[in-house]
Each structure stands twice: as structure tokens, then as C-alpha cells.
Amino acid sequence: MTTIAHISDLHFGCEAPMLREGLLETLEHIHPELVVISGDLTQQASRREFRAAREFLDNLPYPYLIVPGNHDLTERNLPERLLFPWQKWRHYISPELEPVKHADAFIAIGINTARRASLHPDWSRGSISRMQVARIRRQLQTTPATSLRLLTAHHPFWLPAMFAHRELIRRGETALQAFQSEVDIILSGHVHLAYAQVTQGVIVSHAGTTLSNRLLLHHTNSFNVIRGDRQRLSLELMEWGSQRFRLSRQQVFRRHEDGWHQQH
């Protein structure tokens, strides 16, 4: 059985050291085969924040897959954003923006959905291109049929109705149609809200903010744990409370001929 921890929106620059230590302690008990980090390592993409993120990654004793988020692009330095958008990311975090991790039981593919600029006035919105979709499908064509297939992006492919104003990733619907029967689960963040939903036969699972103080009202810091295989997946929500992360909710999903379904 595969065990993967999904953390997101760490926002170094407004993180809580107690949460960082609590996360590492909880991960030690879970002992995941992979830690997925779905973007927004920093708050303002400063060098100080990237150095703090680098220190965290150096102390993470597990393999990890990491993609950038919109906060990992500077908002204050327009020439840097337009001409050298990923210079700090590549220097401090990784030369890769879209990493891939292979294991005997799974494949995890990273997608960079953050954009340096957009015709939309809100540059924090994400997008997935046709070239990215085609690349992912090519990678999955050579993946064993029994391997769990995970995609990681920063921006949402599905949102609860009350958060629809945050807007879905551009071309997300087209991507989901292309990923049917090929992708099992998409791991994302961005909205600081933990939830999981099946859409077009694919599980869309979002993590809340794991370490930062940028919380939604009535929500706390959290991360997710995914356990299982290509036939059955358990999604566990780990929420901060009483000075530690503890299991708050579990959802179970099973895969049928027409895709994934939540088990009630």
C-alpha cells in the first residue's frame, strides 16, 4: 500500500515554527514514501523566504515532489517577474518546475500552473496548457496499468460552490476530460481549504495551508495523507489542534470501470 503525504501553501515568511516541528513529528509516525508539496512555499518570493524554505526541505527526511505556486513569483519586482520569473526557484529550490517521481507502485507528475503574466487582471490565477496536457498523457502511456497515477498542481480543478469566486484553473475542464481513465488523483492547494471530490471520474484533493497563519475563518492548519493503490484510496485529513496534527476526517474512494467513486 502506497502512503503519500500532501502538504501545501507553506508560505515561509508567515509560518509558525511550532507547526513546522509538529509536521515533522507527525510525518515521522506516518513515514510516507513521498511528500507532495503543491506550491506557495513563500509569501512574497523574497530571498530570505526562499532560504527558509530551502532549510525546511533540507530537514525533510523523505523523498519529495514540489511544484511552484503563484506566491513563488514576485509581485513587487515586475522586471524580475517578466524576465527571470523562476530564477530564485531554480537557485534555492530545484532546477525543475515540473518534476516526475517514479516508484514501483505509483507515478507522481508535477505541473507548473503559475504564470508570470496573464490577460486576466488577477495574475494569481492558474492555467494548464495543451502542451502540458499532451506531455502528461505521453508520460502515462508508458506507465504500468497497475501504478497509481498522481498529478500535482497548485491551482484548483474543482471548487465548492461557496468558493467559486476563487475561480478554477484555466483549461481545467478540458484537461480533466483528457485525463479520464488515465489519472487517478490530482493534488492541489491555493485556496487554503481541505476537501476532496470526484469530478469526471478523477479524484480532486486539495490541502489547506499547512504551516502559515493565512487561515480561512473557522479553519485550521492541515495536510492530507493518501493511502492505498489503484483500486482503493483512503484520504485522511490531518488538522492542527492541541499542539499537534491529528486525524480529523477520512474519505474512502474506489475505482470502477467508469472512474473513481466515493464510498459512503
Side-chain angles (χ1 to χ4, degrees):
M1 181 177 68
T2 297
T3 301
I4 292 173
H6 173 206
I7 66 179
S8 192
D9 296 83
L10 308 184
H11 289 287
F12 282 97
C14 54
E15 83 284 4
M18 181 185 299
L19 291 168
R20 183 183 62 227
E21 297 309 312
L23 172 65
L24 292 174
E25 181 179 330
T26 305
L27 290 177
E28 186 175 353
H29 292 288
I30 296 170
H31 203 74
E33 295 164 58
L34 181 71
V35 176
V36 169
I37 310 171
S38 55
D40 277 3
L41 264 71
T42 66
Q43 176 61 21
Q44 296 179 334
S46 70
R47 292 188 182 278
R48 179 182 63 83
E49 292 168 353
F50 271 115
R51 284 194 292 268
R54 179 70 262 167
E55 181 183 3
F56 169 78
L57 294 174
D58 288 342
N59 288 315
L60 194 63
Y62 310 101
Y64 62 84
L65 179 145
I66 185 169
V67 297
N70 53 284
H71 276 268
D72 301 315
L73 289 163
T74 180
E75 290 185 349
R76 299 181 175 182
N77 188 331
L78 193 58
E80 176 189 318
R81 182 175 182 122
L82 295 179
L83 298 176
F84 311 104
W86 303 114
Q87 185 176 52
K88 291 174 185 171
W89 181 273
R90 289 192 166 102
H91 178 74
Y92 290 103
I93 305 302
S94 172
E96 296 181 292
L97 298 175
E98 299 187 320
V100 180
K101 296 290 185 181
H102 294 271
D104 291 340
F106 68 86
I107 179 173
I109 301 174
I111 316 166
N112 177 21
T113 57
R115 298 294 183 256
R116 72 181 80 187
S118 170
L119 295 176
H120 194 281
D122 181 4
W123 286 7
S124 71
R125 291 183 64 196
S127 177
I128 181 169
S129 71
R130 295 180 181 87
M131 290 181 62
Q132 286 175 306
V133 171
R135 174 182 63 84
I136 292 163
R137 296 190 69 190
R138 285 196 302 270
Q139 290 171 317
L140 293 177
Q141 284 175 358
T142 58
T143 300
T146 56
S147 293
L148 184 66
R149 292 110 180 274
L150 305 99
L151 299 186
T152 302
H154 178 64
H155 293 88
F157 284 76
W158 182 88
L159 283 169
M162 66 182 300
F163 289 91
H165 63 281
R166 296 297 303 273
E167 301 190 8
L168 298 176
I169 185 172
R170 187 166 177 258
R171 298 194 190 92
E173 187 74 15
T174 301
L176 281 170
Q177 291 174 2
F179 293 152
Q180 284 184 24
S181 77
E182 296 182 0
V183 171
D184 296 310
I185 185 169
I186 300 177
L187 308 179
S188 322
H190 187 59
V191 294
H192 296 195
L193 180 71
Y195 58 83
Q197 173 74 23
V198 175
T199 178
Q200 299 200 40
V202 178
I203 304 169
V204 175
S205 176
H206 282 237
T209 176
T210 304
L211 300 182
S212 85
N213 59 18
R214 302 182 70 246
L215 296 169
L216 297 176
L217 186 65
H218 306 308
H219 289 77
T220 187
N221 298 90
S222 65
F223 72 97
N224 299 329
V225 180
I226 299 101
R227 304 181 194 267
D229 53 31
R230 207 162 184 224
Q231 302 304 315
R232 182 186 183 276
L233 285 176
S234 168
L235 271 61
E236 301 171 2
L237 173 62
M238 307 294 293
E239 290 191 315
W240 182 257
S242 302
Q243 310 303 305
R244 65 188 179 94
F245 284 101
R246 59 177 64 192
L247 178 62
S248 173
R249 182 178 71 228
Q250 183 184 52
Q251 295 171 269
V252 175
F253 300 84
R254 291 189 180 273
R255 189 166 71 94
H256 302 280
E257 291 184 359
D258 60 343
W260 287 87
H261 293 262
Q262 184 169 352
Q263 181 176 310
H264 297 286

